[in-house]
């Protein structure tokens, strides 16, 4: 197991990663474009480098351009770069080639917790790239969270990461939107929370409301049975919900987008099928 690690980028995520490695007993070197950000970590025992150095570099920056800027002129021959920065999957493919052309190996990653959750129970990180290289450093990286390898394609870790973030953002945005709707009638947010929790929990269950499992199976099979829950019925219901948001004087971007998606899928001939038929319209914009 690698016992020395260099953390590049000391924003909230990177600084917490460095502190987590220190707490676990690692020999930690840190580098940041604004060197003063390293002072609290140096006080905890980290070494401050003038340039990014080390055989294992764990990178946490605003995007992949920051990596190019930070490592310009740095010898990467034989080094392993594990980059947890956010960017697009296509940019990660380019970055893998960029690192390889300089003699290094890039492991791309997406960490699925906010800074306070790093290294805590339930934290996990998506990784993609060469499996053998990741395996050599898996015990070191496990300090940050459970290692979830998703494949060789350098863009896959970011695709998994962004897919989960979309779930996170859209779920919380829908909570806030529906909270605002109920709030327009004087219902406190705390009252709504317990019903929202029940709805989200039931959708993730194996019961009759376990739509995540149901829709996942339908998506893989490419068949979307309607039965008692036709997509047409859902489209009509969303039309009513849209008017409720409008009548309450609320922002309509998300309700309008969902109303249009349901209506379009219905109009494309999927009305008698189930809600999973939305996937066909999503894949053919």
């Amino acid at each position: 197991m690698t016992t020395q690690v260099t953390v590049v980028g000391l924003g909230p995520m990177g600084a917490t990663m460095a502190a987590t490695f220190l707490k676990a007993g690692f020999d930690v070197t840190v580098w940041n474009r604004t060197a003063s950000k390293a002072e609290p970590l140096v006080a905890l025992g980290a070494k401050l480098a003038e340039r990014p150095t080390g055989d294992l570099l764990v990178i946490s920056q605003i995007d992949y351009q920051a990596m190019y800027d930070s490592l310009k002129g740095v010898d990467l021959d034989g080094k392993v770069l594990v980059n947890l920065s956010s960017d697009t999957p296509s940019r990660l493919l380019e970055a893998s080639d960029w690192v390889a052309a300089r003699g290094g190996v890039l492991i791309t990653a997406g960490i699925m917790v906010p800074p306070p959750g790093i290294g805590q129970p339930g934290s996990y990180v998506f990784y993609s790239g060469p499996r053998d290289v990741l395996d050599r450093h898996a015990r070191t990286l496990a300090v940050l969270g459970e290692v979830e390898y998703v494949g060789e394609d350098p863009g896959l870790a970011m695709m998994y990461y962004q897919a989960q973030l979309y779930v996170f953002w859209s779920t919380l945005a829908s909570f806030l939107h529906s909270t605002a709707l109920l709030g327009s009638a004087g219902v406190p947010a705390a009252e709504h929370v317990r019903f929202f929790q029940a709805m989200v929990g039931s959708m993730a269950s194996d019961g009759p409301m376990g739509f995540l499992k149901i829709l996942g199976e339908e998506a893989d099979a490419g068949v979307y049975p309607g039965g008692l829950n036709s997509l047409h019925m859902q489209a009509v219901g969303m039309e009513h919900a849209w008017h409720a948001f409008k009548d309450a004087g609320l922002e309509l971007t998300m309700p309008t987008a969902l109303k249009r998606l349901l209506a379009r899928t219905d109009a494309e001939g999927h009305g008698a099928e189930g809600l999973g038929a939305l996937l066909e319209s999503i894949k053919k914009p």
Side-chain angles (χ1 to χ4, degrees):
M1 181 178 72
T2 304
T3 57
Q4 191 282 327
V5 62
T6 297
V7 178
V8 177
L10 300 177
M13 296 292 284
T16 305
M17 290 178 197
T20 302
F21 281 123
L22 283 168
K23 186 176 180 180
F26 284 80
D27 178 6
V28 179
T29 299
V30 293
W31 183 89
N32 193 68
R33 286 182 286 187
T34 303
S36 60
K37 286 189 175 183
E39 292 174 1
L41 293 163
V42 171
L44 293 174
K47 302 181 183 70
L48 176 62
E50 292 186 3
R51 297 294 304 277
T53 184
D55 294 331
L56 176 64
L57 281 69
V58 174
I59 303 168
S60 179
Q61 297 179 303
I62 188 67
D63 56 21
Y64 271 67
Q65 182 60 50
M67 179 186 75
Y68 300 146
D69 296 341
S70 299
L71 300 182
K72 185 177 181 180
V74 173
D75 180 13
L76 300 181
D77 191 39
K79 300 185 186 305
V80 174
L81 283 62
V82 180
N83 198 327
L84 296 101
S85 307
S86 177
D87 217 309
T88 66
S90 62
R91 289 294 301 276
L92 272 62
L93 291 168
E94 296 168 2
S96 181
D97 293 339
W98 185 88
V99 173
R102 288 156 179 78
V105 177
L106 177 66
I107 298 293
T108 57
I111 188 164
M112 296 312 306
V113 290
I118 293 174
Q120 301 301 312
S123 63
Y124 64 101
V125 186
F126 293 120
Y127 294 96
S128 56
R131 181 64 185 262
D132 60 328
V133 177
L134 176 64
D135 285 346
R136 291 205 306 269
H137 300 287
R139 289 179 61 192
T140 298
L141 296 171
V143 170
L144 304 178
E146 184 176 352
V147 174
E148 291 282 356
Y149 179 72
V150 295
E152 291 274 340
D153 184 337
L156 269 176
M158 189 54 51
M159 198 171 289
Y160 270 84
Y161 170 77
Q162 291 170 341
Q164 299 310 306
L165 277 184
Y166 183 72
V167 172
F168 176 78
W169 291 325
S170 60
T171 301
L172 294 187
S174 69
F175 166 73
L176 295 173
H177 227 126
S178 53
T179 294
L181 178 62
L182 290 169
S184 70
V187 178
E191 175 69 10
H192 179 217
V193 166
R194 64 189 183 97
F195 292 106
F196 195 88
Q197 287 175 322
M199 174 64 76
V200 173
S202 64
M203 288 193 297
S205 73
D206 291 327
M209 279 288 288
F211 282 99
L212 289 181
K213 182 178 180 180
I214 294 168
L215 294 184
E217 292 172 348
E218 291 179 0
D220 285 339
V223 178
Y224 319 104
L228 301 176
N229 296 289
S230 72
L231 185 135
H232 175 71
M233 181 173 69
Q234 308 299 327
V236 172
M238 185 60 219
E239 180 78 25
H240 298 159
W242 183 88
H243 281 287
F245 286 113
K246 183 176 183 294
D247 292 346
L250 301 176
E251 207 278 338
L252 292 172
T253 301
M254 284 186 64
T256 298
L258 184 53
K259 178 173 76 76
R260 287 176 176 171
L261 178 60
L262 283 158
R264 182 170 73 104
T265 308
D266 189 10
E268 289 171 348
H270 297 286
E273 297 178 78
L275 190 61
L278 286 175
L279 185 61
E280 296 306 311
S281 293
I282 290 169
K283 291 190 295 186
K284 300 171 185 177

